[in-house]
Amino acid sequence: MTDKTAGGDVRLSGISKHYGTFTAVHPLDLTIPQGSFFALLGASGCGKTTTLRMIAGLEEPSTGTVHLGDRDVTHLPPHKRPVNTVFQSYALFPHLTIFENIAFGLRRRGIKSVKKQVDEMLELVQLGQFAQRKPHQLSGGQQQRVAVARALINHPQVLLLDEPLGALDLKLRRQMQLELKRIQTEVGITFVHVTHDQEEAMTMADTVAVMNGGRVEQLGAPAGLYENPRTTFVANFLGTSNLIEASVESAASDIVVSACGTTLRLPAARCSTTPSTGGKLLVGVRPEKISLVPAEEEHTVATGRNRITGRIAASSFIGVSTQFVIDSPVCPELEVYVQNIERDGRLVPGAEVVLHWNPEHTFGLDAAQDIDAGIETVEESA
Ligand SMILES: Nc1ncnc2c1ncn2[C@@H]1O[C@H](COP(=O)(O)OP(=O)(O)O)[C@@H](O)[C@H]1O
Ligand SMILES: [Mg+2]
């Protein structure tokens, strides 16, 4: 199954998928570099599985081509592609031992001496002592590692993972994310990982493609996407953003805007649109970039900071931080996360406060978009 001469990137060129009149995936161009850990992230129904199935050969694209390196695999059946898939339901053979489950792919190809390779795989997924157990004698996370080993023993060029951790509880998911990342680093095979969980995508992937409505909305390294979202969907879907509607007062290397009489600044380089004086702009800032002081301490805020006055509407203590919701004429329901280093007893619901942050930490988005895009879909997809 492995064709070691045909290494290379996964290249999708104009691939799309229609079901009748419905378009599940719009024409998509995507290059997934060889050896990378790539995540397709998006809410339920946005076309992730369909895209993955077209790479696997389980779904025929309506248009476009799939290349692995220089090789056009668009019309190859799944078993002829150097690709393996791990699904959420890992479907191990219940009557076979873990050893035999992992050996399955080799035996099917008529390979007799499997022990060395199976032992290597058992070691890779750290399940050596469980070789003789049956699947039902393992935890969900261990079973999923068996599924990964069973796929990797075929030495695929690309491993496709479709919400593989979806059935696991949160703590186990976190462990398995790190575990899968370690395995990928160790074997160096391209992983394409589908998930609706933005933290999962950011933890594991070198590159994340954020999908929305059958299209890739933005693609990049996790930190780059998080710091510089180019659309309201990405700003809201990846973490939380405060988006403030403002009008542009002046536009040079710094943009100066006004929101309800409050002046804010941001670097032009962090605008995903070209603002013009008198036009509208959505001004974004992440909750953890904002500092909070009681209104009577406003004199302690350094000059040059963006600042907004408001009132604490709610606060929730979540251990490492306290999350505040603040109402302000400038923007309703601003979110602010404050690290619990020294807690200020004055920061309680009802308190008048000043929010302030470094203008460099502000980004600008085209105001013609839906300001709430990507918010409700996060909940739905769970
Ligand atoms: N075989 C099919 N026939 C008709 N519609 C489909 C089929 N498979 C998927 N779809 C639709 O295509 C869209 C994308 O599906 P899918 O790729 O499974 O999304 P995701 O994996 O992101 O949740 C959904 O609206 C889904 O209902
Ligand atoms: Mg899916």
Side-chain angles (χ1 to χ4, degrees):
M1 221 185 270
T2 312
D3 184 348
K4 291 224 166 80
T5 60
D9 303 343
V10 178
R11 271 191 300 123
L12 310 180
S13 312
I15 62 157
S16 69
K17 185 67 190 177
H18 311 295
Y19 294 111
T21 56
F22 177 74
T23 304
V25 177
H26 293 271
L28 181 68
D29 294 306
L30 203 58
T31 298
I32 301 171
Q34 180 175 13
S36 67
F37 199 128
F38 192 93
L40 283 173
L41 170 69
S44 178
C46 73
K48 305 180 297 293
T49 293
T50 305
T51 304
L52 208 67
R53 288 173 62 85
M54 290 193 285
I55 301 173
L58 298 164
E59 204 78 68
E60 175 107 17
S62 305
T63 63
T65 58
V66 179
H67 280 79
L68 291 175
D70 294 333
R71 190 163 158 218
D72 186 341
V73 300
T74 315
H75 302 291
L76 284 186
H79 65 275
K80 294 243 170 91
R81 300 187 187 198
V83 170
N84 265 100
T85 311
V86 175
F87 299 98
Q88 177 177 330
S89 56
Y90 16 87
L92 302 177
F93 302 113
H95 55 288
L96 295 183
T97 61
I98 300 314
F99 185 97
E100 285 303 327
N101 264 279
I102 295 173
F104 183 80
L106 299 180
R107 296 224 192 272
R108 197 175 49 177
R109 283 186 279 145
I111 298 168
K112 292 269 157 44
S113 51
V114 299
K115 182 153 178 16
K116 183 164 171 287
Q117 288 193 63
V118 175
D119 284 346
E120 271 172 25
M121 281 300 146
L122 280 165
E123 193 182 327
L124 177 69
V125 298
Q126 298 179 339
L127 290 175
Q129 72 271 41
F130 299 127
Q132 294 313 316
R133 287 202 191 176
K134 298 283 176 64
H136 74 271
Q137 294 170 309
L138 299 187
S139 72
Q142 290 165 340
Q143 290 184 43
Q144 192 54 290
R145 270 142 64 192
V146 176
V148 170
R150 191 176 58 171
L152 286 177
I153 203 161
N154 300 317
H155 295 290
Q157 194 178 314
V158 182
L159 188 68
L160 306 175
L161 303 113
D162 194 353
E163 311 250 8
L165 310 182
L168 308 180
D169 66 42
L170 188 65
K171 203 162 174 199
L172 202 50
R173 280 179 83 103
R174 294 275 170 268
Q175 284 173 14
M176 277 295 289
Q177 287 163 10
L178 300 176
E179 186 66 3
L180 279 177
K181 178 83 188 163
R182 177 191 63 78
I183 291 170
Q184 192 271 339
T185 310
E186 221 169 297
V187 297
I189 288 171
T190 311
F191 276 32
V192 185
H193 181 99
V194 158
T195 178
H196 66 264
D197 179 337
Q198 46 101 14
E199 271 187 38
E200 181 164 307
M202 288 202 279
T203 304
M204 301 171 79
D206 311 314
T207 307
V208 177
V210 184
M211 287 189 75
N212 180 25
R215 290 187 168 88
V216 170
E217 189 136 334
Q218 193 174 341
L219 179 143
L225 284 178
Y226 184 82
E227 300 295 350
N228 280 310
R230 286 203 306 263
T231 65
T232 55
F233 180 87
V234 176
N236 291 323
F237 192 78
L238 218 61
T240 298
S241 293
N242 293 299
L243 297 177
I244 301 164
E245 290 179 295
S247 53
V248 179
E249 305 265 284
S250 69
S253 69
D254 262 4
I255 313 290
V256 181
V257 301
S258 166
C260 259
T262 294
T263 299
L264 301 170
R265 288 164 204 279
L266 66 151
R270 296 203 57 194
C271 279
S272 65
T273 171
T274 310
S276 51
T277 303
K280 297 275 178 223
L281 191 68
L282 290 176
V283 171
V285 59
R286 296 290 192 177
E288 74 280 8
K289 311 286 194 211
I290 303 175
S291 301
L292 209 54
V293 294
E296 61 265 32
E297 302 284 341
E298 181 165 6
H299 63 276
T300 64
V301 177
T303 53
R305 309 265 295 172
N306 280 334
R307 66 177 79 184
I308 291 177
T309 56
R311 172 180 296 166
I312 298 177
S315 79
S316 35
F317 174 79
I318 60 156
V320 293
S321 66
T322 300
Q323 305 195 343
F324 294 93
V325 179
I326 289 149
D327 275 330
S328 162
V330 173
C331 181
E333 300 190 349
L334 285 156
E335 299 224 29
V336 178
Y337 303 161
V338 178
Q339 285 250 326
N340 287 325
I341 302 168
E342 311 198 36
R343 300 174 61 209
D344 186 333
R346 293 170 296 180
L347 298 176
V348 291
E352 302 286 340
V353 289
V354 175
L355 291 66
H356 60 98
W357 70 94
N358 184 344
E360 299 282 328
H361 293 156
T362 319
F363 56 89
L365 301 176
D366 185 347
Q369 305 169 80
D370 174 9
I371 195 168
D372 291 327
I375 291 181
E376 60 279 20
T377 48
V378 175
E379 306 303 327
E380 277 172 17
S381 62

